[in-house]
Amino acid sequence: MVDKKIIEIVDVIDTSKVFAKLSDSQSGGICVFVGAVREFTKNEKVMSLEFEAYEQMALREMDKIAINAIEKWQLNSLIIQHAVGFKKVEDPVVVVGASSAHRDACFEACRYLIDTLKETVPIWKKEVFENKTVWVSAHP
Amino acid sequence: MKVLLFGIAKDIVGSSQLQFSEVVPKTVLELKQLISKTYPKFGELSSLAVAVNSEYAKDDVPLNRNDEIAIIPPVSGG
């Protein structure tokens, strides 16, 4: 039985609230992954990232990932939050987290959540450098 | 027929939507072929997917006028 499943696309991620959202009396393990903006890509200084989402499809794809993970690892609570808009260096851009009775399940679930999100969820990231912008992964 | 565009697809076309009125693609494959012919830069992308009503759609899926259709260039969230 899943206590909580939070699937959101938001303007700003508040990482300080994630623990409370995943904590429950059945869970001895809570695992969270936060993706953030890194300052350099291949030695080039990144000024900011811009995220765009096809929101209704992204939420559906995120929900599919969540349902799969809850079933596979018997999770008690789960969160997937992705930010959109302009983000500066160090800003959190994605949070995935899971809680389970023991730690193995939530560790493995977090890995699955972020890896699958990156493969299937229709969200796009543009790197803004000093002199150019690049849509990440667009070209081989 | 209206097609939504995101990410680099929006930049290639220069708009967030494409409108087909004379030649209307009947399947996902026809849509991919039509946009790649009109905008050759789509052929340079790592991949090109189409969503019909918010679900990834294979090449043989038929397109109807009332469907919500979107071009999905390579995703890069996270």
Side-chain angles (χ1 to χ4, degrees), chain A residues 51-54 56-57 60-61 64 82 93-94 114 117-125 135-140, chain B residues 4-8 10-11 41 44-47 51 53-56 68-78:
Chain A
F51 287 89
E52 182 184 347
Y54 177 14
Q56 69 180 44
M57 182 178 173
R60 280 171 76 148
E61 290 294 321
K64 284 183 198 168
H82 204 297
V93 299
V94 62
I114 187 63
L117 179 149
K118 280 173 160 287
E119 279 174 20
T120 64
V121 176
I123 295 177
W124 298 271
K125 169 166 53 193
W135 286 105
V136 177
S137 304
H139 295 99
Chain B
L4 305 175
L5 303 168
F6 298 94
I8 196 167
K10 198 164 71 176
D11 287 0
K41 283 190 169 173
E44 297 169 13
L45 301 180
S46 316
S47 65
N53 300 323
S54 297
E55 294 283 348
Y56 285 106
E68 182 169 300
I69 301 161
I71 301 293
I72 310 289
V75 300
S76 52

Side-chain angles (χ1 to χ4, degrees), chain A residues 8-98:
Chain A
E8 288 174 337
I9 290 174
V10 294
D11 293 325
V12 177
I13 287 176
D14 185 349
T15 53
S16 71
K17 297 202 170 124
V18 176
F19 172 73
K21 288 176 176 169
L22 290 172
S23 172
D24 62 68
S25 63
Q26 306 302 308
S27 297
I30 296 172
C31 193
V32 176
F33 170 84
V34 179
V37 181
R38 191 182 53 232
E39 191 174 16
F40 286 91
T41 292
K42 293 172 190 154
N43 297 320
E44 284 194 87
K45 190 173 166 63
V46 173
M47 313 304 287
S48 63
L49 295 182
E50 185 187 357
F51 287 89
E52 182 184 347
Y54 177 14
E55 193 161 324
Q56 69 180 44
M57 182 178 173
L59 290 169
R60 280 171 76 148
E61 290 294 321
M62 287 155 77
D63 200 54
K64 284 183 198 168
I65 298 169
I67 288 167
N68 286 342
I70 287 164
E71 192 182 312
K72 181 164 183 187
W73 286 285
Q74 299 294 300
L75 305 173
N76 294 323
S77 300
L78 177 147
I79 186 167
I80 307 177
Q81 276 185 328
H82 204 297
V84 289
F86 278 97
K87 300 293 152 198
K88 58 187 195 304
V89 174
E90 285 191 53
D91 281 348
V93 299
V94 62
V95 169
V96 301

